PDB file of all heavy atoms in Angstrom:
ATOM      1  N   ARG A  36     127.932  25.972 141.034  1.00  0.00           N
ATOM      2  CA  ARG A  36     129.210  26.626 140.723  1.00  0.00           C
ATOM      3  C   ARG A  36     129.805  26.060 139.442  1.00  0.00           C
ATOM      4  O   ARG A  36     130.234  26.810 138.551  1.00  0.00           O
ATOM      5  CB  ARG A  36     130.191  26.446 141.884  1.00  0.00           C
ATOM      6  CG  ARG A  36     131.494  27.186 141.723  1.00  0.00           C
ATOM      7  CD  ARG A  36     132.454  26.964 142.899  1.00  0.00           C
ATOM      8  NE  ARG A  36     131.861  27.205 144.195  1.00  0.00           N
ATOM      9  CZ  ARG A  36     131.488  26.225 145.055  1.00  0.00           C
ATOM     10  NH1 ARG A  36     131.669  24.962 144.770  1.00  0.00           N
ATOM     11  NH2 ARG A  36     130.966  26.543 146.222  1.00  0.00           N
ATOM     12  N   ASP A  37     129.813  24.730 139.323  1.00  0.00           N
ATOM     13  CA  ASP A  37     130.359  24.093 138.126  1.00  0.00           C
ATOM     14  C   ASP A  37     129.546  24.449 136.880  1.00  0.00           C
ATOM     15  O   ASP A  37     130.108  24.688 135.805  1.00  0.00           O
ATOM     16  CB  ASP A  37     130.403  22.579 138.293  1.00  0.00           C
ATOM     17  CG  ASP A  37     131.433  22.121 139.316  1.00  0.00           C
ATOM     18  OD1 ASP A  37     132.288  22.947 139.716  1.00  0.00           O
ATOM     19  OD2 ASP A  37     131.372  20.943 139.715  1.00  0.00           O
ATOM     20  N   ALA A  38     128.214  24.498 137.025  1.00  0.00           N
ATOM     21  CA  ALA A  38     127.354  24.821 135.889  1.00  0.00           C
ATOM     22  C   ALA A  38     127.579  26.256 135.414  1.00  0.00           C
ATOM     23  O   ALA A  38     127.650  26.517 134.210  1.00  0.00           O
ATOM     24  CB  ALA A  38     125.885  24.605 136.257  1.00  0.00           C
ATOM     25  N   VAL A  39     127.721  27.182 136.350  1.00  0.00           N
ATOM     26  CA  VAL A  39     127.963  28.580 135.993  1.00  0.00           C
ATOM     27  C   VAL A  39     129.322  28.719 135.318  1.00  0.00           C
ATOM     28  O   VAL A  39     129.451  29.383 134.280  1.00  0.00           O
ATOM     29  CB  VAL A  39     127.859  29.489 137.238  1.00  0.00           C
ATOM     30  CG1 VAL A  39     128.371  30.891 136.947  1.00  0.00           C
ATOM     31  CG2 VAL A  39     126.422  29.538 137.743  1.00  0.00           C
ATOM     32  N   LEU A  40     130.339  28.091 135.876  1.00  0.00           N
ATOM     33  CA  LEU A  40     131.675  28.161 135.283  1.00  0.00           C
ATOM     34  C   LEU A  40     131.688  27.558 133.879  1.00  0.00           C
ATOM     35  O   LEU A  40     132.272  28.130 132.950  1.00  0.00           O
ATOM     36  CB  LEU A  40     132.697  27.448 136.173  1.00  0.00           C
ATOM     37  CG  LEU A  40     134.141  27.522 135.712  1.00  0.00           C
ATOM     38  CD1 LEU A  40     134.608  28.968 135.571  1.00  0.00           C
ATOM     39  CD2 LEU A  40     135.034  26.777 136.690  1.00  0.00           C
ATOM     40  N   GLU A  41     131.021  26.430 133.704  1.00  0.00           N
ATOM     41  CA  GLU A  41     130.954  25.800 132.384  1.00  0.00           C
ATOM     42  C   GLU A  41     130.269  26.717 131.375  1.00  0.00           C
ATOM     43  O   GLU A  41     130.717  26.835 130.237  1.00  0.00           O
ATOM     44  CB  GLU A  41     130.212  24.472 132.482  1.00  0.00           C
ATOM     45  CG  GLU A  41     130.196  23.699 131.181  1.00  0.00           C
ATOM     46  CD  GLU A  41     129.548  22.333 131.315  1.00  0.00           C
ATOM     47  OE1 GLU A  41     129.609  21.736 132.405  1.00  0.00           O
ATOM     48  OE2 GLU A  41     128.983  21.875 130.310  1.00  0.00           O
ATOM     49  N   LYS A  42     129.200  27.387 131.792  1.00  0.00           N
ATOM     50  CA  LYS A  42     128.499  28.313 130.899  1.00  0.00           C
ATOM     51  C   LYS A  42     129.402  29.469 130.496  1.00  0.00           C
ATOM     52  O   LYS A  42     129.471  29.836 129.319  1.00  0.00           O
ATOM     53  CB  LYS A  42     127.229  28.841 131.589  1.00  0.00           C
ATOM     54  CG  LYS A  42     126.452  29.838 130.780  1.00  0.00           C
ATOM     55  CD  LYS A  42     125.860  29.208 129.541  1.00  0.00           C
ATOM     56  CE  LYS A  42     124.983  30.194 128.802  1.00  0.00           C
ATOM     57  NZ  LYS A  42     124.370  29.619 127.615  1.00  0.00           N
ATOM     58  N   ILE A  43     130.125  30.035 131.453  1.00  0.00           N
ATOM     59  CA  ILE A  43     131.044  31.133 131.156  1.00  0.00           C
ATOM     60  C   ILE A  43     132.129  30.670 130.190  1.00  0.00           C
ATOM     61  O   ILE A  43     132.465  31.370 129.223  1.00  0.00           O
ATOM     62  CB  ILE A  43     131.650  31.713 132.447  1.00  0.00           C
ATOM     63  CG1 ILE A  43     130.558  32.424 133.249  1.00  0.00           C
ATOM     64  CG2 ILE A  43     132.813  32.652 132.144  1.00  0.00           C
ATOM     65  CD1 ILE A  43     130.970  32.803 134.661  1.00  0.00           C
ATOM     66  N   GLU A  44     132.692  29.478 130.430  1.00  0.00           N
ATOM     67  CA  GLU A  44     133.727  28.946 129.540  1.00  0.00           C
ATOM     68  C   GLU A  44     133.177  28.723 128.132  1.00  0.00           C
ATOM     69  O   GLU A  44     133.855  29.027 127.144  1.00  0.00           O
ATOM     70  CB  GLU A  44     134.284  27.646 130.099  1.00  0.00           C
ATOM     71  CG  GLU A  44     135.146  27.844 131.334  1.00  0.00           C
ATOM     72  CD  GLU A  44     135.534  26.537 132.005  1.00  0.00           C
ATOM     73  OE1 GLU A  44     134.925  25.486 131.703  1.00  0.00           O
ATOM     74  OE2 GLU A  44     136.448  26.565 132.850  1.00  0.00           O
TER      75      GLU A  44
END
Side-chain angles (χ1 to χ4, degrees):
R36 185 181 309 105
D37 291 347
V39 169
L40 184 57
E41 185 176 330
K42 178 66 175 181
I43 292 169
E44 289 172 345

